[in-house]
């Protein structure tokens, strides 16, 4: 097993190929050691300085594995993320978001680019990936992928009030109801006390 040299070393313990791909994207410039579990990790890796340790927990994880892994790791110097598959997926999305493109402003400070530019950056990767797979009808596919979380977040923000969510989104209430039904979005109305 040949390791590319990088000053940053990340240990990723997950058998899920999707999680491995997500974290490879997050830690693009790092050396990533991916393994199904602690017993699959080469012994020399555990002796090196780890900058991040990502561990998928679940029924297959034993507490002895954690103590074996964490022995010798300084939590003040190492990012440690442990959780179920959904937790690791959300965490990778948050880490990816924190890597939003930045630009230098006129006064020389770095500023996060606007939402449109950030989305352009992300959509570019999506379109390239879909083109390589010979996909068609990208517009409706992408609109659906963006519309569902947008409506869901608007409903969460308004505590399930569809009239307020429609106003927030700039939609007619009946249009919003149709979209909720078409996209199969569950509505949880918060009770006011």
């Amino acid at each position: 097993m040949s390791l590319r040299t990088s000053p940053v070393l990340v240990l990723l313990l997950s058998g899920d190929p999707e999680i491995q791909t997500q974290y490879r994207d997050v830690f693009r410039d790092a050396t990533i050691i991916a393994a199904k579990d602690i017993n699959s990790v080469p012994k020399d890796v555990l002796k090196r300085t780890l900058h991040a340790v990502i561990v998928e927990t679940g029924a297959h994880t034993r507490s002895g594995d954690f103590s074996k892994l964490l022995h010798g790791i300084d939590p003040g110097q190492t990012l440690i993320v442990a959780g179920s598959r959904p937790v690791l997926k959300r965490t990778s999305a948050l880490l990816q978001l924190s890597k939003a493109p930045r630009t230098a402003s006129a006064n020389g400070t770095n500023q996060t680019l606007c939402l449109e530019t950030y989305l352009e950056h992300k959509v570019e990767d999506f379109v390239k990936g879909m083109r390589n797979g010979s996909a068609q009808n990208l517009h409706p596919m992408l609109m659906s992928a963006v519309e569902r979380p947008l409506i869901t977040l608007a409903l969460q923000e308004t505590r399930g009030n569809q009239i307020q969510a429609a106003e927030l989104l700039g939609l007619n209430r009946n249009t919003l109801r149709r979209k909720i039904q078409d996209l199969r979005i569950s509505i949880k109305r918060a009770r006011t006390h």
Side-chain angles (χ1 to χ4, degrees):
M1 176 167 154
S2 152
L3 296 178
R4 108 177 175 246
T5 55
S6 168
V8 178
L9 180 62
V10 177
L11 177 60
L12 173 60
L13 299 178
S14 173
D16 185 339
E18 184 180 347
I19 290 176
Q20 290 180 2
T21 300
Q22 288 174 331
Y23 279 94
R24 285 188 202 295
D25 191 41
V26 169
F27 295 106
R28 188 170 287 163
D29 298 325
T31 298
I32 299 180
I33 308 298
K36 186 176 179 179
D37 56 36
I38 188 68
N39 298 321
S40 307
V41 178
K43 302 293 181 212
D44 65 315
V45 170
L46 298 175
K47 295 176 184 175
R48 297 172 60 189
T49 301
L50 298 171
H51 297 92
V53 177
I54 294 94
V55 181
E56 178 188 339
T57 60
H60 65 281
T61 310
R62 296 187 311 261
S63 60
D65 290 345
F66 277 122
S67 60
K68 181 178 174 182
L69 174 65
L70 296 177
H71 181 73
I73 293 179
D74 179 6
Q77 301 293 319
T78 305
L79 170 67
I80 300 172
V81 179
S84 63
R85 284 184 184 183
V87 169
L88 291 185
K89 289 178 181 180
R90 284 194 306 269
T91 304
S92 74
L94 290 172
L95 289 169
Q96 191 65 33
L97 188 59
S98 72
K99 293 174 56 175
R102 298 188 176 270
T103 184
S105 65
N107 65 6
T109 62
N110 284 339
Q111 296 180 338
T112 301
L113 296 176
C114 67
L115 177 62
E116 183 178 354
T117 306
Y118 178 73
L119 286 174
E120 182 180 318
H121 174 74
K122 288 301 180 187
V123 169
E124 178 183 14
D125 292 342
F126 176 78
V127 170
K128 283 180 182 175
M130 295 303 285
R131 183 169 182 227
N132 292 340
S134 300
Q136 296 177 344
N137 299 324
L138 288 180
H139 186 266
M141 188 185 312
L142 186 59
M143 290 302 107
S144 175
V146 171
E147 194 169 41
R148 182 177 174 76
L150 178 63
I151 291 172
T152 301
L153 290 170
L155 287 166
Q156 287 174 357
E157 185 65 27
T158 61
R159 296 182 179 172
N161 186 314
Q162 293 180 38
I163 294 171
Q164 291 177 1
E167 288 175 9
L168 180 63
L169 293 166
L171 297 173
N172 178 290
R173 182 188 67 189
N174 291 332
T175 302
L176 176 61
R177 285 186 181 172
R178 182 178 43 79
K179 288 180 180 288
I180 289 169
Q181 186 176 17
D182 291 347
L183 296 169
R184 296 183 177 147
I185 297 172
S186 65
I187 302 168
K188 295 178 183 169
R189 177 81 192 227
R191 295 184 183 186
T192 55
H193 296 282

